[in-house]
Amino acid sequence: MLRFRLFAMVFLVTVLAFVVATLGCSGDKKDGGGGGPSDTGKEPTPAGKKTALEVKEYATIKGRVTYDGEPPDPGKITSREDFQKHDDKAKCEEAPEDLVGQAWKVSADKGVADVVIWVKPPEGKYFPIPPNDKKTWKEKPELDQPHCAFHPHVQVLYPEDAEGHKTGQKFTVVNNSKNLNHNTKWSGGPKNSAGNQNIPPGKTIPIEFHPDRAPVEFQCDFHKWMNAYAWVFDHPYAAVTDKDGKYEIKNVPAGVKLQIIAWHEGANSGAATLDQGFVLPEGKGSRNGKDLGELKKDEVRKEDFKLKK
Ligand SMILES: [Cu+2]
Protein backbone atom coordinates (compact mmCIF):
# COMPACT_ATOMS: atom_id res chain seq x y z
CA MET A 1 0.00 0.00 0.00
CA LEU A 2 2.72 2.39 1.06
CA ARG A 3 4.76 1.31 -1.92
CA PHE A 4 1.86 2.02 -4.24
CA ARG A 5 1.31 5.45 -2.73
CA LEU A 6 4.96 6.26 -3.09
CA PHE A 7 4.93 5.09 -6.68
CA ALA A 8 1.82 7.12 -7.42
CA MET A 9 3.43 10.19 -5.86
CA VAL A 10 6.65 9.84 -7.81
CA PHE A 11 4.67 9.31 -11.00
CA LEU A 12 2.52 12.36 -10.37
CA VAL A 13 5.51 14.55 -9.59
CA THR A 14 7.30 13.35 -12.70
CA VAL A 15 4.31 14.22 -14.87
CA LEU A 16 3.96 17.56 -13.12
CA ALA A 17 7.64 18.34 -13.57
CA PHE A 18 7.33 17.54 -17.26
CA VAL A 19 4.31 19.80 -17.64
CA VAL A 20 6.05 22.64 -15.81
CA ALA A 21 9.21 22.16 -17.86
CA THR A 22 7.23 22.21 -21.09
CA LEU A 23 5.18 25.25 -20.13
CA GLY A 24 8.22 27.11 -18.89
CA CYS A 25 10.27 26.41 -22.01
CA SER A 26 11.52 29.91 -22.75
CA GLY A 27 14.83 29.05 -24.31
CA ASP A 28 17.08 29.94 -21.39
CA LYS A 29 17.54 26.37 -20.30
CA LYS A 30 20.55 25.59 -18.22
CA ASP A 31 23.16 23.04 -19.23
CA GLY A 32 21.25 20.62 -21.42
CA GLY A 33 22.45 17.35 -19.97
CA GLY A 34 25.54 15.27 -19.65
CA GLY A 35 24.52 13.78 -16.34
CA GLY A 36 25.96 16.46 -14.10
CA PRO A 37 25.93 16.13 -10.33
CA SER A 38 22.46 15.55 -9.02
CA ASP A 39 21.08 16.44 -5.63
CA THR A 40 22.82 13.66 -3.76
CA GLY A 41 23.25 14.05 -0.06
CA LYS A 42 19.79 15.48 0.40
CA GLU A 43 16.72 13.78 1.71
CA PRO A 44 14.76 12.31 -1.19
CA THR A 45 12.32 15.02 -2.09
CA PRO A 46 9.50 14.53 -4.55
CA ALA A 47 9.72 18.21 -5.43
CA GLY A 48 12.01 17.42 -8.34
CA LYS A 49 14.60 19.87 -9.57
CA LYS A 50 14.66 23.27 -7.97
CA THR A 51 13.91 26.27 -10.11
CA ALA A 52 15.57 29.67 -9.99
CA LEU A 53 13.73 32.52 -8.34
CA GLU A 54 13.21 35.52 -10.52
CA VAL A 55 14.62 38.49 -8.65
CA LYS A 56 14.10 42.04 -9.83
CA GLU A 57 13.99 44.06 -6.63
CA TYR A 58 16.06 44.10 -3.50
CA ALA A 59 15.76 44.91 0.18
CA THR A 60 17.80 44.79 3.39
CA ILE A 61 17.44 42.75 6.55
CA LYS A 62 19.25 43.90 9.67
CA GLY A 63 19.02 43.42 13.39
CA ARG A 64 20.70 42.26 16.51
CA VAL A 65 21.19 39.06 18.46
CA THR A 66 21.18 39.33 22.25
CA TYR A 67 21.74 36.83 25.00
CA ASP A 68 18.62 35.95 26.96
CA GLY A 69 19.69 35.91 30.59
CA GLU A 70 23.12 35.82 32.19
CA PRO A 71 25.70 35.16 29.43
CA PRO A 72 28.04 32.17 29.84
CA ASP A 73 31.62 32.67 30.98
CA PRO A 74 33.79 32.37 27.85
CA GLY A 75 36.56 30.71 29.85
CA LYS A 76 40.30 31.11 29.49
CA ILE A 77 42.65 29.12 27.27
CA THR A 78 45.40 29.82 29.78
CA SER A 79 43.69 27.66 32.39
CA ARG A 80 44.18 24.56 30.22
CA GLU A 81 46.95 22.19 31.21
CA ASP A 82 47.96 21.57 27.59
CA PHE A 83 48.37 25.33 27.11
CA GLN A 84 50.54 25.74 30.18
CA LYS A 85 52.82 22.90 29.04
CA HIS A 86 52.89 23.90 25.39
CA ASP A 87 56.17 24.80 23.67
CA ASP A 88 54.35 27.68 21.94
CA LYS A 89 53.00 29.19 25.17
CA ALA A 90 55.10 32.38 25.00
CA LYS A 91 54.32 32.92 21.31
CA CYS A 92 50.60 32.44 21.94
CA GLU A 93 50.70 34.98 24.76
CA GLU A 94 51.69 37.69 22.31
CA ALA A 95 47.99 37.90 21.37
CA PRO A 96 46.01 38.23 24.62
CA GLU A 97 42.66 38.35 22.77
CA ASP A 98 43.33 34.81 21.53
CA LEU A 99 43.64 33.48 25.07
CA VAL A 100 39.96 33.92 25.85
CA GLY A 101 37.42 31.24 24.90
CA GLN A 102 36.30 32.01 21.34
CA ALA A 103 32.80 30.54 21.42
CA TRP A 104 31.02 33.05 23.63
CA LYS A 105 31.70 36.66 22.74
CA VAL A 106 28.99 38.68 24.41
CA SER A 107 29.17 42.48 24.69
CA ALA A 108 28.41 44.42 27.89
CA ASP A 109 24.84 44.98 26.69
CA LYS A 110 24.45 41.31 25.75
CA GLY A 111 25.03 41.46 21.99
CA VAL A 112 26.25 38.05 20.82
CA ALA A 113 29.01 37.89 18.20
CA ASP A 114 29.55 35.13 15.64
CA VAL A 115 25.92 34.22 15.14
CA VAL A 116 25.20 33.20 11.55
CA ILE A 117 21.92 34.50 10.10
CA TRP A 118 20.63 33.43 6.71
CA VAL A 119 17.49 33.43 4.62
CA LYS A 120 15.82 30.47 2.97
CA PRO A 121 14.01 30.54 -0.38
CA PRO A 122 10.53 29.07 -0.79
CA GLU A 123 10.35 25.28 -1.14
CA GLY A 124 11.51 24.06 -4.55
CA LYS A 125 13.23 27.35 -5.42
CA TYR A 126 16.81 28.55 -5.35
CA PHE A 127 18.50 31.93 -5.52
CA PRO A 128 20.43 32.48 -8.76
CA ILE A 129 23.80 34.25 -8.66
CA PRO A 130 22.99 37.99 -8.37
CA PRO A 131 24.08 40.51 -11.01
CA ASN A 132 27.46 42.18 -10.50
CA ASP A 133 26.06 45.41 -9.10
CA LYS A 134 24.36 43.45 -6.31
CA LYS A 135 27.49 41.56 -5.32
CA THR A 136 28.05 41.44 -1.57
CA TRP A 137 30.34 38.47 -1.04
CA LYS A 138 34.10 38.48 -0.59
CA GLU A 139 36.18 37.33 -3.54
CA LYS A 140 39.00 35.98 -1.43
CA PRO A 141 37.84 35.08 2.06
CA GLU A 142 40.58 33.80 4.34
CA LEU A 143 40.93 31.86 7.52
CA ASP A 144 44.07 33.12 9.23
CA GLN A 145 45.93 31.92 12.32
CA PRO A 146 48.40 34.67 13.20
CA HIS A 147 48.86 33.40 16.76
CA CYS A 148 46.93 30.69 18.56
CA ALA A 149 43.37 31.30 17.40
CA PHE A 150 41.66 31.30 14.02
CA HIS A 151 40.50 34.60 12.54
CA PRO A 152 37.68 35.00 11.83
CA HIS A 153 36.21 32.51 14.25
CA VAL A 154 33.04 32.21 12.17
CA GLN A 155 32.49 33.11 8.52
CA VAL A 156 30.09 32.50 5.65
CA LEU A 157 31.13 31.40 2.18
CA TYR A 158 29.45 31.45 -1.21
CA PRO A 159 31.48 29.46 -3.75
CA GLU A 160 28.62 28.38 -6.02
CA ASP A 161 24.86 28.45 -6.48
CA ALA A 162 22.45 25.54 -6.08
CA GLU A 163 23.19 24.37 -9.63
CA GLY A 164 26.94 24.35 -9.09
CA HIS A 165 27.62 27.53 -11.09
CA LYS A 166 30.76 29.09 -9.62
CA THR A 167 30.69 32.56 -8.13
CA GLY A 168 34.44 33.05 -8.49
CA GLN A 169 35.00 33.11 -4.75
CA LYS A 170 38.33 31.55 -3.69
CA PHE A 171 38.72 30.48 -0.08
CA THR A 172 42.14 29.92 1.50
CA VAL A 173 43.55 28.95 4.87
CA VAL A 174 46.63 31.02 5.61
CA ASN A 175 49.25 31.19 8.31
CA ASN A 176 50.38 34.76 8.75
CA SER A 177 52.22 34.07 11.95
CA LYS A 178 55.89 34.84 12.36
CA ASN A 179 56.98 31.60 13.88
CA LEU A 180 54.11 29.26 14.62
CA ASN A 181 53.34 25.99 12.88
CA HIS A 182 49.73 24.97 12.65
CA ASN A 183 48.17 21.69 11.65
CA THR A 184 44.79 22.55 10.28
CA LYS A 185 42.12 19.92 9.90
CA TRP A 186 38.56 20.36 8.78
CA SER A 187 35.37 18.38 8.45
CA GLY A 188 31.86 19.26 7.41
CA GLY A 189 28.64 17.83 6.08
CA PRO A 190 28.22 15.14 3.41
CA LYS A 191 29.27 17.38 0.52
CA ASN A 192 32.61 18.43 1.95
CA SER A 193 35.29 15.83 2.49
CA ALA A 194 37.47 16.17 5.56
CA GLY A 195 41.11 17.22 5.26
CA ASN A 196 44.27 17.88 7.21
CA GLN A 197 47.39 19.93 6.36
CA ASN A 198 50.52 21.19 8.01
CA ILE A 199 50.68 24.93 7.53
CA PRO A 200 54.05 26.51 8.32
CA PRO A 201 54.39 30.33 8.60
CA GLY A 202 53.71 32.11 5.33
CA LYS A 203 51.96 29.19 3.69
CA THR A 204 48.54 29.43 2.06
CA ILE A 205 46.31 26.54 1.07
CA PRO A 206 43.24 26.88 -1.12
CA ILE A 207 40.26 24.69 -0.23
CA GLU A 208 37.23 24.19 -2.42
CA PHE A 209 34.07 23.78 -0.40
CA HIS A 210 30.53 23.17 -1.58
CA PRO A 211 27.24 24.39 -0.14
CA ASP A 212 26.17 21.98 2.53
CA ARG A 213 23.54 21.37 5.18
CA ALA A 214 25.98 21.65 8.08
CA PRO A 215 28.96 23.94 8.74
CA VAL A 216 32.62 23.08 8.20
CA GLU A 217 34.57 23.01 11.45
CA PHE A 218 38.30 23.73 11.56
CA GLN A 219 40.63 22.61 14.29
CA CYS A 220 44.36 22.67 14.89
CA ASP A 221 46.13 19.50 15.91
CA PHE A 222 49.06 21.41 17.41
CA HIS A 223 46.92 23.75 19.52
CA LYS A 224 43.90 21.70 20.54
CA TRP A 225 41.91 24.70 21.77
CA MET A 226 41.81 26.30 18.31
CA ASN A 227 38.62 25.97 16.30
CA ALA A 228 36.60 27.93 13.74
CA TYR A 229 33.53 27.51 11.55
CA ALA A 230 32.57 28.25 7.98
CA TRP A 231 29.01 27.91 6.74
CA VAL A 232 28.97 27.29 3.02
CA PHE A 233 25.81 28.57 1.35
CA ASP A 234 24.46 28.37 -2.18
CA HIS A 235 23.44 32.03 -2.00
CA PRO A 236 24.96 35.24 -0.61
CA TYR A 237 22.12 36.10 1.78
CA ALA A 238 23.89 35.28 5.01
CA ALA A 239 25.76 37.31 7.62
CA VAL A 240 27.74 36.90 10.83
CA THR A 241 26.99 39.14 13.81
CA ASP A 242 29.70 41.60 14.86
CA LYS A 243 31.02 42.21 18.38
CA ASP A 244 27.84 44.08 19.29
CA GLY A 245 25.59 41.30 18.01
CA LYS A 246 24.57 43.30 14.94
CA TYR A 247 24.16 41.99 11.42
CA GLU A 248 23.04 43.25 8.05
CA ILE A 249 22.15 41.33 4.90
CA LYS A 250 22.10 43.63 1.89
CA ASN A 251 20.51 43.10 -1.51
CA VAL A 252 18.11 40.42 -0.30
CA PRO A 253 15.52 39.51 -2.95
CA ALA A 254 12.29 41.45 -2.50
CA GLY A 255 8.91 40.26 -3.73
CA VAL A 256 9.56 36.61 -2.94
CA LYS A 257 8.59 34.70 0.18
CA LEU A 258 11.53 34.30 2.53
CA GLN A 259 12.31 32.65 5.82
CA ILE A 260 15.06 33.67 8.20
CA ILE A 261 17.05 31.38 10.47
CA ALA A 262 20.07 31.65 12.77
CA TRP A 263 22.84 29.54 14.34
CA HIS A 264 25.45 29.86 17.06
CA GLU A 265 28.00 27.18 17.91
CA GLY A 266 27.15 27.22 21.61
CA ALA A 267 23.37 27.07 21.27
CA ASN A 268 22.33 23.45 21.65
CA SER A 269 25.96 22.41 21.22
CA GLY A 270 25.96 23.84 17.74
CA ALA A 271 24.24 20.74 16.39
CA ALA A 272 22.30 22.60 13.76
CA THR A 273 21.62 22.14 10.08
CA LEU A 274 20.41 24.42 7.32
CA ASP A 275 16.89 23.86 8.56
CA GLN A 276 17.39 23.96 12.31
CA GLY A 277 19.15 26.94 13.72
CA PHE A 278 18.60 26.88 17.49
CA VAL A 279 18.69 30.64 17.84
CA LEU A 280 15.21 31.97 18.32
CA PRO A 281 13.78 34.79 16.26
CA GLU A 282 11.82 37.37 18.15
CA GLY A 283 8.12 37.33 17.44
CA LYS A 284 6.52 34.42 15.68
CA GLY A 285 9.15 31.89 14.78
CA SER A 286 10.93 28.77 15.91
CA ARG A 287 14.28 27.03 15.61
CA ASN A 288 13.20 26.14 12.11
CA GLY A 289 13.03 29.78 11.16
CA LYS A 290 10.58 32.60 10.82
CA ASP A 291 8.41 33.53 7.87
CA LEU A 292 9.26 36.99 6.60
CA GLY A 293 6.63 37.08 3.88
CA GLU A 294 7.63 39.19 0.88
CA LEU A 295 9.88 42.17 1.45
CA LYS A 296 9.06 45.35 -0.43
CA LYS A 297 11.52 47.01 -2.78
CA ASP A 298 14.20 48.92 -0.80
CA GLU A 299 12.57 47.93 2.48
CA VAL A 300 14.82 47.71 5.54
CA ARG A 301 13.37 44.91 7.63
CA LYS A 302 14.41 44.65 11.26
CA GLU A 303 14.70 41.15 12.67
CA ASP A 304 16.13 40.53 16.12
CA PHE A 305 17.00 37.24 17.76
CA LYS A 306 17.36 35.91 21.28
CA LEU A 307 19.91 33.33 22.19
CA LYS A 308 20.22 30.92 25.08
CA LYS A 309 22.88 28.33 25.65
CU1 LIG B 1 47.60 25.90 15.69
PDB file of all heavy atoms in Angstrom, residues 88 145 147-150 180-184 219-226, ligand 1:
ATOM      1  N   ASP A  88      54.681  26.393  22.576  1.00  0.00           N
ATOM      2  CA  ASP A  88      54.352  27.678  21.942  1.00  0.00           C
ATOM      3  C   ASP A  88      53.734  28.688  22.914  1.00  0.00           C
ATOM      4  O   ASP A  88      53.297  29.760  22.484  1.00  0.00           O
ATOM      5  CB  ASP A  88      53.364  27.451  20.788  1.00  0.00           C
ATOM      6  CG  ASP A  88      54.018  26.741  19.620  1.00  0.00           C
ATOM      7  OD1 ASP A  88      55.254  26.823  19.483  1.00  0.00           O
ATOM      8  OD2 ASP A  88      53.279  26.086  18.843  1.00  0.00           O
ATOM      9  N   GLN A 145      45.565  32.379  10.980  1.00  0.00           N
ATOM     10  CA  GLN A 145      45.931  31.922  12.317  1.00  0.00           C
ATOM     11  C   GLN A 145      47.251  32.587  12.712  1.00  0.00           C
ATOM     12  O   GLN A 145      48.284  31.930  12.794  1.00  0.00           O
ATOM     13  CB  GLN A 145      46.010  30.400  12.368  1.00  0.00           C
ATOM     14  CG  GLN A 145      46.500  29.758  11.092  1.00  0.00           C
ATOM     15  CD  GLN A 145      46.019  28.331  10.899  1.00  0.00           C
ATOM     16  OE1 GLN A 145      45.729  27.609  11.845  1.00  0.00           O
ATOM     17  NE2 GLN A 145      45.966  27.898   9.667  1.00  0.00           N
ATOM     18  N   HIS A 147      48.288  33.859  15.493  1.00  0.00           N
ATOM     19  CA  HIS A 147      48.863  33.403  16.759  1.00  0.00           C
ATOM     20  C   HIS A 147      48.268  32.049  17.101  1.00  0.00           C
ATOM     21  O   HIS A 147      48.533  31.095  16.400  1.00  0.00           O
ATOM     22  CB  HIS A 147      48.648  34.439  17.866  1.00  0.00           C
ATOM     23  CG  HIS A 147      49.437  35.685  17.641  1.00  0.00           C
ATOM     24  ND1 HIS A 147      48.940  36.762  16.931  1.00  0.00           N
ATOM     25  CD2 HIS A 147      50.699  36.014  17.996  1.00  0.00           C
ATOM     26  CE1 HIS A 147      49.871  37.704  16.863  1.00  0.00           C
ATOM     27  NE2 HIS A 147      50.952  37.277  17.507  1.00  0.00           N
ATOM     28  N   CYS A 148      47.442  32.002  18.139  1.00  0.00           N
ATOM     29  CA  CYS A 148      46.933  30.688  18.559  1.00  0.00           C
ATOM     30  C   CYS A 148      45.413  30.629  18.558  1.00  0.00           C
ATOM     31  O   CYS A 148      44.797  29.941  19.382  1.00  0.00           O
ATOM     32  CB  CYS A 148      47.508  30.321  19.901  1.00  0.00           C
ATOM     33  SG  CYS A 148      49.318  30.193  19.793  1.00  0.00           S
ATOM     34  N   ALA A 149      44.811  31.390  17.642  1.00  0.00           N
ATOM     35  CA  ALA A 149      43.366  31.297  17.398  1.00  0.00           C
ATOM     36  C   ALA A 149      43.136  31.554  15.919  1.00  0.00           C
ATOM     37  O   ALA A 149      43.953  32.201  15.257  1.00  0.00           O
ATOM     38  CB  ALA A 149      42.602  32.327  18.233  1.00  0.00           C
ATOM     39  N   PHE A 150      42.022  31.023  15.408  1.00  0.00           N
ATOM     40  CA  PHE A 150      41.656  31.299  14.023  1.00  0.00           C
ATOM     41  C   PHE A 150      40.969  32.658  13.933  1.00  0.00           C
ATOM     42  O   PHE A 150      40.216  33.040  14.817  1.00  0.00           O
ATOM     43  CB  PHE A 150      40.671  30.241  13.516  1.00  0.00           C
ATOM     44  CG  PHE A 150      41.272  28.889  13.252  1.00  0.00           C
ATOM     45  CD1 PHE A 150      40.990  27.816  14.089  1.00  0.00           C
ATOM     46  CD2 PHE A 150      42.096  28.679  12.158  1.00  0.00           C
ATOM     47  CE1 PHE A 150      41.510  26.559  13.832  1.00  0.00           C
ATOM     48  CE2 PHE A 150      42.631  27.419  11.896  1.00  0.00           C
ATOM     49  CZ  PHE A 150      42.337  26.355  12.730  1.00  0.00           C
ATOM     50  N   LEU A 180      54.926  30.343  14.076  1.00  0.00           N
ATOM     51  CA  LEU A 180      54.106  29.257  14.616  1.00  0.00           C
ATOM     52  C   LEU A 180      53.705  28.275  13.517  1.00  0.00           C
ATOM     53  O   LEU A 180      53.265  28.689  12.443  1.00  0.00           O
ATOM     54  CB  LEU A 180      52.828  29.827  15.237  1.00  0.00           C
ATOM     55  CG  LEU A 180      52.962  30.383  16.649  1.00  0.00           C
ATOM     56  CD1 LEU A 180      51.888  31.420  16.899  1.00  0.00           C
ATOM     57  CD2 LEU A 180      52.878  29.273  17.688  1.00  0.00           C
ATOM     58  N   ASN A 181      53.849  27.012  13.793  1.00  0.00           N
ATOM     59  CA  ASN A 181      53.343  25.985  12.878  1.00  0.00           C
ATOM     60  C   ASN A 181      51.951  25.589  13.316  1.00  0.00           C
ATOM     61  O   ASN A 181      51.694  25.412  14.500  1.00  0.00           O
ATOM     62  CB  ASN A 181      54.251  24.760  12.910  1.00  0.00           C
ATOM     63  CG  ASN A 181      55.527  24.999  12.134  1.00  0.00           C
ATOM     64  OD1 ASN A 181      55.508  25.225  10.923  1.00  0.00           O
ATOM     65  ND2 ASN A 181      56.649  24.976  12.837  1.00  0.00           N
ATOM     66  N   HIS A 182      51.071  25.459  12.344  1.00  0.00           N
ATOM     67  CA  HIS A 182      49.730  24.969  12.648  1.00  0.00           C
ATOM     68  C   HIS A 182      49.467  23.709  11.835  1.00  0.00           C
ATOM     69  O   HIS A 182      50.006  23.542  10.744  1.00  0.00           O
ATOM     70  CB  HIS A 182      48.665  26.016  12.301  1.00  0.00           C
ATOM     71  CG  HIS A 182      48.758  27.254  13.135  1.00  0.00           C
ATOM     72  ND1 HIS A 182      48.410  27.289  14.461  1.00  0.00           N
ATOM     73  CD2 HIS A 182      49.167  28.515  12.824  1.00  0.00           C
ATOM     74  CE1 HIS A 182      48.583  28.513  14.934  1.00  0.00           C
ATOM     75  NE2 HIS A 182      49.052  29.280  13.959  1.00  0.00           N
ATOM     76  N   ASN A 183      48.635  22.852  12.406  1.00  0.00           N
ATOM     77  CA  ASN A 183      48.174  21.691  11.652  1.00  0.00           C
ATOM     78  C   ASN A 183      46.665  21.793  11.570  1.00  0.00           C
ATOM     79  O   ASN A 183      45.954  21.497  12.526  1.00  0.00           O
ATOM     80  CB  ASN A 183      48.587  20.388  12.332  1.00  0.00           C
ATOM     81  CG  ASN A 183      48.142  19.191  11.528  1.00  0.00           C
ATOM     82  OD1 ASN A 183      46.968  18.837  11.526  1.00  0.00           O
ATOM     83  ND2 ASN A 183      49.069  18.572  10.826  1.00  0.00           N
ATOM     84  N   THR A 184      46.198  22.239  10.412  1.00  0.00           N
ATOM     85  CA  THR A 184      44.787  22.545  10.276  1.00  0.00           C
ATOM     86  C   THR A 184      44.024  21.347   9.722  1.00  0.00           C
ATOM     87  O   THR A 184      44.400  20.792   8.701  1.00  0.00           O
ATOM     88  CB  THR A 184      44.604  23.745   9.322  1.00  0.00           C
ATOM     89  OG1 THR A 184      45.442  24.804   9.783  1.00  0.00           O
ATOM     90  CG2 THR A 184      43.156  24.211   9.298  1.00  0.00           C
ATOM     91  N   GLN A 219      39.920  22.762  13.018  1.00  0.00           N
ATOM     92  CA  GLN A 219      40.632  22.612  14.290  1.00  0.00           C
ATOM     93  C   GLN A 219      42.117  22.594  14.000  1.00  0.00           C
ATOM     94  O   GLN A 219      42.529  22.436  12.847  1.00  0.00           O
ATOM     95  CB  GLN A 219      40.219  21.312  14.980  1.00  0.00           C
ATOM     96  CG  GLN A 219      38.818  21.387  15.552  1.00  0.00           C
ATOM     97  CD  GLN A 219      38.291  20.045  15.985  1.00  0.00           C
ATOM     98  OE1 GLN A 219      38.411  19.053  15.275  1.00  0.00           O
ATOM     99  NE2 GLN A 219      37.696  20.005  17.155  1.00  0.00           N
ATOM    100  N   CYS A 220      42.912  22.751  15.060  1.00  0.00           N
ATOM    101  CA  CYS A 220      44.361  22.674  14.888  1.00  0.00           C
ATOM    102  C   CYS A 220      44.868  21.534  15.760  1.00  0.00           C
ATOM    103  O   CYS A 220      44.569  21.487  16.952  1.00  0.00           O
ATOM    104  CB  CYS A 220      45.018  23.991  15.280  1.00  0.00           C
ATOM    105  SG  CYS A 220      46.817  23.893  15.209  1.00  0.00           S
ATOM    106  N   ASP A 221      45.635  20.647  15.160  1.00  0.00           N
ATOM    107  CA  ASP A 221      46.134  19.502  15.912  1.00  0.00           C
ATOM    108  C   ASP A 221      47.283  19.877  16.840  1.00  0.00           C
ATOM    109  O   ASP A 221      47.573  19.161  17.784  1.00  0.00           O
ATOM    110  CB  ASP A 221      46.584  18.398  14.943  1.00  0.00           C
ATOM    111  CG  ASP A 221      45.587  17.248  14.934  1.00  0.00           C
ATOM    112  OD1 ASP A 221      44.632  17.296  15.735  1.00  0.00           O
ATOM    113  OD2 ASP A 221      45.771  16.314  14.137  1.00  0.00           O
ATOM    114  N   PHE A 222      47.957  20.993  16.546  1.00  0.00           N
ATOM    115  CA  PHE A 222      49.060  21.413  17.414  1.00  0.00           C
ATOM    116  C   PHE A 222      48.553  22.187  18.627  1.00  0.00           C
ATOM    117  O   PHE A 222      49.162  22.171  19.690  1.00  0.00           O
ATOM    118  CB  PHE A 222      50.067  22.276  16.645  1.00  0.00           C
ATOM    119  CG  PHE A 222      50.777  21.544  15.542  1.00  0.00           C
ATOM    120  CD1 PHE A 222      51.392  22.241  14.516  1.00  0.00           C
ATOM    121  CD2 PHE A 222      50.854  20.149  15.533  1.00  0.00           C
ATOM    122  CE1 PHE A 222      52.057  21.563  13.502  1.00  0.00           C
ATOM    123  CE2 PHE A 222      51.515  19.471  14.522  1.00  0.00           C
ATOM    124  CZ  PHE A 222      52.116  20.172  13.500  1.00  0.00           C
ATOM    125  N   HIS A 223      47.493  22.947  18.423  1.00  0.00           N
ATOM    126  CA  HIS A 223      46.915  23.746  19.516  1.00  0.00           C
ATOM    127  C   HIS A 223      45.456  23.334  19.633  1.00  0.00           C
ATOM    128  O   HIS A 223      44.600  23.865  18.931  1.00  0.00           O
ATOM    129  CB  HIS A 223      47.047  25.240  19.200  1.00  0.00           C
ATOM    130  CG  HIS A 223      48.422  25.630  18.735  1.00  0.00           C
ATOM    131  ND1 HIS A 223      48.728  25.860  17.413  1.00  0.00           N
ATOM    132  CD2 HIS A 223      49.576  25.775  19.437  1.00  0.00           C
ATOM    133  CE1 HIS A 223      50.015  26.155  17.308  1.00  0.00           C
ATOM    134  NE2 HIS A 223      50.561  26.110  18.516  1.00  0.00           N
ATOM    135  N   LYS A 224      45.203  22.395  20.512  1.00  0.00           N
ATOM    136  CA  LYS A 224      43.903  21.698  20.543  1.00  0.00           C
ATOM    137  C   LYS A 224      42.722  22.612  20.874  1.00  0.00           C
ATOM    138  O   LYS A 224      41.576  22.232  20.693  1.00  0.00           O
ATOM    139  CB  LYS A 224      43.944  20.563  21.575  1.00  0.00           C
ATOM    140  CG  LYS A 224      45.014  19.536  21.303  1.00  0.00           C
ATOM    141  CD  LYS A 224      44.588  18.539  20.244  1.00  0.00           C
ATOM    142  CE  LYS A 224      45.591  17.395  20.150  1.00  0.00           C
ATOM    143  NZ  LYS A 224      45.405  16.603  18.933  1.00  0.00           N
ATOM    144  N   TRP A 225      43.000  23.788  21.400  1.00  0.00           N
ATOM    145  CA  TRP A 225      41.914  24.699  21.772  1.00  0.00           C
ATOM    146  C   TRP A 225      41.442  25.529  20.577  1.00  0.00           C
ATOM    147  O   TRP A 225      40.444  26.228  20.654  1.00  0.00           O
ATOM    148  CB  TRP A 225      42.371  25.638  22.902  1.00  0.00           C
ATOM    149  CG  TRP A 225      43.605  26.401  22.548  1.00  0.00           C
ATOM    150  CD1 TRP A 225      43.683  27.595  21.891  1.00  0.00           C
ATOM    151  CD2 TRP A 225      44.954  26.013  22.812  1.00  0.00           C
ATOM    152  NE1 TRP A 225      44.976  27.978  21.725  1.00  0.00           N
ATOM    153  CE2 TRP A 225      45.786  27.021  22.282  1.00  0.00           C
ATOM    154  CE3 TRP A 225      45.544  24.911  23.449  1.00  0.00           C
ATOM    155  CZ2 TRP A 225      47.177  26.951  22.367  1.00  0.00           C
ATOM    156  CZ3 TRP A 225      46.923  24.861  23.530  1.00  0.00           C
ATOM    157  CH2 TRP A 225      47.728  25.865  22.996  1.00  0.00           C
ATOM    158  N   MET A 226      42.181  25.470  19.471  1.00  0.00           N
ATOM    159  CA  MET A 226      41.811  26.297  18.308  1.00  0.00           C
ATOM    160  C   MET A 226      40.665  25.649  17.525  1.00  0.00           C
ATOM    161  O   MET A 226      40.742  24.477  17.173  1.00  0.00           O
ATOM    162  CB  MET A 226      43.010  26.450  17.358  1.00  0.00           C
ATOM    163  CG  MET A 226      44.101  27.360  17.874  1.00  0.00           C
ATOM    164  SD  MET A 226      45.536  27.408  16.745  1.00  0.00           S
ATOM    165  CE  MET A 226      44.817  28.083  15.254  1.00  0.00           C
TER     166      MET A 226
HETATM  167 CU    CU B   1      47.601  25.903  15.691  1.00  0.00          CU
END
